[in-house]
Amino acid sequence: MVSSIRFGLIGCGAVASTHAKAIASLPNAKLVAVVGQSPQRLAFFAEAWGLDGYTDLELLLQRKDIDAVAICTPSGSHGDIAIRAAGAGKHAMIEKPIDISLSKADETIAAFRSRGLRLGVISQRRFDLGVVRLKALLEAGELGRPVLASACVHWYRDQAYYDSGGWRGTWSGDGGGVLINQGIHTVDLLLHLLGPVAEVAGHTATMTHERMETEDTAVALLKFANGAMGTLSCTTSAFPGSPVRIEVIGSKGSALLEGESLTRLDLNNGNGSSGVQKTEELDKQGLIGGESAIPSNQEAFVRQYEDFVDAIIRRREPTVAGEAGREALALVLEVYRSSKRSGQRS
């Protein structure tokens, strides 16, 4: 059994540093090389992290001392690059989404399955302490039968953000807009907490940005397979932006997630009164995490990489495997299809 995993990083754009920090923080993992298309950016990144730098992906994949890769390229390229990595015998962690098409997601999952390789998809929000606690409460039946979930991703991105990369906010490069890029983390959490969705009605539109093919605002009505209902709203037009908010209401109580933290837990005591636990009480019990209103999620990234490296070493499935990434993508694409059917998408 190997005791340490050596990584190659594919892509050196904005999110690459977050992956690099997570890998570097682990005692049983090491980042050794990076590949990028921009020679100037590649040189800067490689020097900053002390890595071997390549502009040719094949040269990185041919290295026998690299066990796994972290894929941090534009969304539309994720599947193709991952399949090449699998062909070279590398495990892979893919930045969300797994890809922008279900057929490519299926092809990617099959490529790793057939070779006995580990495939993970970034969904670090599952590792937030508040989410872990809420998941345990739901599984234990503390909130009773799930009734309603409400999720809001009200963030802000200026026009410069979409202008900063030719792939951002495009169908071919990004696969969509706010829903598949910013909102997919929360889509994944809804599936993680409440299970599969049976029915979807969605609307999307471009409300405030001038130069993007895709949506900056999306809303959806959801009916979960367990009978619960749900609402989802996402936008990058909400200046200056606020933490993600997820409220889950059950037949015996309700809970509120804000950012990384479980900030409110209200359980019905069964005698007509309610047992309310707000942020202060939950913090004393060690049930919440997060230090600011809009946290960095770096600790959750580290926890997901810890899990992924352990999965490689112990030859088990990672907590967030390729199939989980596919489920989140499928729900996002169903919202887009619903919006198109209703004639609302712009």
Side-chain angles (χ1 to χ4, degrees):
M1 181 183 294
V2 297
S3 58
S4 182
I5 304 300
R6 293 166 67 87
F7 279 85
L9 187 63
I10 302 175
C12 48
V15 77
S17 292
T18 304
H19 286 255
K21 290 175 184 176
I23 295 168
S25 71
L26 301 180
N28 55 355
K30 184 177 182 181
L31 186 60
V32 298
V34 60
V35 62
Q37 292 185 332
S38 167
Q40 184 177 7
R41 180 179 294 176
L42 173 64
F44 178 83
F45 195 96
E47 181 178 359
W49 287 94
L51 309 175
D52 296 331
Y54 302 95
T55 55
D56 186 344
L57 174 59
E58 202 57 39
L59 293 177
L60 185 146
L61 294 178
Q62 288 173 0
R63 285 185 52 159
K64 298 187 182 300
D65 63 333
I66 291 179
D67 308 295
V69 296
I71 300 174
C72 303
T73 56
S75 303
S77 66
H78 287 176
D80 286 333
I81 291 174
I83 291 167
R84 290 179 64 182
K90 314 299 184 188
H91 308 280
M93 175 72 88
I94 304 178
E95 177 58 48
K96 55 76 186 168
I98 185 171
D99 196 77
I100 61 174
S101 80
L102 287 180
S103 61
K104 186 62 67 175
D106 289 336
E107 187 180 352
T108 301
I109 293 167
F112 284 81
R113 287 278 181 218
S114 65
R115 294 170 174 85
L117 297 167
R118 304 296 167 247
L119 173 65
V121 180
I122 286 295
S123 185
Q124 79 278 4
R125 290 294 314 279
R126 290 195 186 198
F127 295 82
D128 290 340
L129 297 182
V131 173
V132 172
R133 176 57 176 166
L134 179 53
K135 176 69 171 175
L137 288 167
L138 288 166
E139 289 183 341
E142 293 290 331
L143 271 65
R145 177 176 53 84
V147 174
L148 177 67
S150 174
C152 302
V153 185
H154 296 170
W155 288 359
Y156 181 71
R157 297 290 186 271
D158 61 14
Q159 184 62 51
Y161 167 83
Y162 291 104
D163 293 341
S164 67
W167 63 279
R168 294 190 185 279
T170 67
W171 292 112
S172 62
D174 219 353
V178 62
L179 186 60
I180 198 170
N181 193 312
Q182 288 79 22
I184 197 167
H185 283 299
T186 303
V187 168
D188 176 74
L189 285 190
L190 288 174
L191 294 170
H192 177 57
L193 294 170
L194 293 161
V197 170
E199 297 179 28
V200 176
H203 297 284
T204 66
T206 308
M207 304 293 288
T208 64
H209 294 88
E210 299 176 356
R211 294 180 297 280
M212 61 182 298
E213 288 182 349
T214 60
E215 86 290 349
D216 61 17
T217 304
V219 297
L221 298 177
L222 311 172
K223 184 175 182 181
F224 293 88
N226 62 14
M229 299 183 194
T231 63
L232 170 67
S233 64
C234 304
T235 187
T236 51
S237 300
F239 182 82
S242 57
V244 172
R245 187 178 186 274
I246 301 176
E247 184 175 20
V248 178
I249 298 171
S251 59
K252 295 181 180 179
S254 60
L256 177 63
L257 283 167
E258 293 180 288
E260 298 178 3
S261 302
L262 181 60
T263 59
R264 184 180 176 98
L265 178 61
D266 193 338
L267 301 178
N268 190 332
N269 290 330
N271 57 4
S273 63
S274 63
V276 180
Q277 299 184 66
K278 297 183 181 179
T279 303
E280 298 79 13
E281 291 94 352
L282 295 171
D283 191 36
K284 290 177 183 176
Q285 298 174 52
L287 303 184
I288 62 174
E291 299 177 353
S292 63
I294 307 179
S296 67
N297 269 338
Q298 186 63 44
E299 288 186 9
F301 247 93
V302 172
R303 293 187 198 106
Q304 181 163 6
Y305 262 101
E306 283 178 334
D307 175 82
F308 184 64
V309 169
D310 183 75
I312 296 173
I313 292 173
R314 298 182 182 275
R315 298 182 181 180
R316 64 167 177 82
E317 281 297 292
T319 297
V320 187
E323 288 79 0
R326 186 197 189 279
E327 290 170 4
L329 174 64
L331 181 51
V332 165
L333 295 181
E334 186 55 38
V335 174
Y336 286 148
R337 281 192 288 269
S338 175
S339 179
K340 187 176 182 180
R341 287 193 297 268
S342 67
Q344 294 294 316
R345 191 174 73 191
S346 54

